[in-house]
Amino acid sequence: MVNLALMGAFIPTFLFVSVTPGMCMTLAMTLGMSQGVRRTFWMMWGEMLGVGLVAVLAVCGVAAVMLQFPGLFQGFKIIGACYLGYIGLQMWRAKGKLSLPKPGELPPLMARRTLFSQGFITAVSNPKGWAFHMALLPPFIDIKFAFWPQLFVLVAIILLLEFLSMLLYASGGKALALFFGKANRVQYLNRIGASLMFGVALWMLLG
């Protein structure tokens, strides 16, 4: 079904890329701070759906078509960046769904649909994700084997690595939130989370 020799290079390559800080990992850490790890799973499901979709379409050549219409893709990026920027602004003002509570209060939770859509939009709006999958994924497909079974296995591995990496970042964000909460510095944590969200939005616009 797959070339084991290629898999030996595929797994460490994509593991390194998944663990490297990026838009999705930053978002996972931010939500881990404000929503908790378990709630952040909903963002992860959306992100993995987006990554899987990008990987499949990139290999099938849709990325090449999108690159021929940069205006359309740029518009989608701007919408996603504005959405994340709005959330960051709400966090900065400590009035939005992502703002952390004062000590002793229950954290306000975002809707599961909102978390899911955040992850999905962030994944499909990342131009580096399209370029990366288009450039690196096809070389790991062996023409001696059936195409779709190989692609299924490779994408499944990518999603597993993405999930583990986001879980690591979200857990780190939760630990950071607990530290700030005990120090009664929730406002600072809100500002840090907002700054990270602004950074993700800016990354979308400039990437």
Side-chain angles (χ1 to χ4, degrees):
M1 181 179 293
V2 295
N3 187 318
L4 296 181
L6 290 177
M7 291 293 292
F10 174 82
I11 293 177
T13 298
F14 277 75
L15 175 61
F16 175 78
V17 173
S18 295
V19 173
T20 301
M23 292 194 300
C24 294
M25 299 305 135
T26 302
L27 182 59
M29 185 174 66
T30 302
L31 293 177
M33 286 190 223
S34 59
Q35 301 291 295
V37 177
R38 183 175 299 181
R39 195 77 179 180
T40 304
F41 281 166
W42 289 97
M43 184 281 293
M44 296 181 187
W45 307 142
E47 192 271 351
M48 288 191 293
L49 176 61
V51 168
L53 181 63
V54 168
V56 172
L57 295 181
V59 173
C60 293
V62 174
V65 176
M66 295 191 69
L67 291 176
Q68 293 179 4
F69 300 95
L72 178 62
F73 190 46
Q74 186 67 24
F76 190 73
K77 284 171 51 184
I78 292 175
I79 293 174
C82 290
Y83 179 58
L84 294 179
Y86 168 76
I87 293 175
L89 181 61
Q90 297 296 338
M91 290 181 69
W92 187 273
R93 295 177 175 176
K95 294 179 181 180
K97 297 176 181 179
L98 283 178
S99 61
L100 294 178
K102 295 180 180 180
E105 292 183 356
L106 294 176
L109 300 178
M110 298 176 63
R112 294 173 179 177
R113 181 181 300 178
T114 301
L115 291 168
F116 186 89
S117 63
Q118 267 193 320
F120 181 80
I121 290 174
T122 301
V124 300
S125 299
N126 185 3
K128 292 182 177 62
W130 285 93
F132 170 77
H133 286 101
M134 188 176 181
L136 290 185
L137 190 52
F140 288 102
I141 296 179
D142 193 335
I143 60 175
K144 297 179 182 178
F145 297 93
F147 173 78
W148 288 108
Q150 285 187 88
L151 183 59
F152 175 81
V153 172
L154 295 179
V155 171
I157 293 174
I158 290 173
L159 297 183
L160 176 61
L161 296 177
E162 281 285 309
F163 175 78
L164 294 176
S165 298
M166 287 189 292
L167 182 60
L168 177 65
Y169 275 81
S171 299
K174 180 61 176 179
L176 185 60
L178 291 175
F179 172 79
F180 275 88
K182 291 180 180 179
N184 295 322
R185 294 176 178 175
V186 180
Q187 182 65 28
Y188 292 110
L189 184 55
N190 278 335
R191 297 294 174 86
I192 291 175
S195 298
L196 291 172
M197 197 67 71
F198 290 143
V200 174
L202 184 62
W203 197 336
M204 277 189 179
L205 293 176
L206 300 180

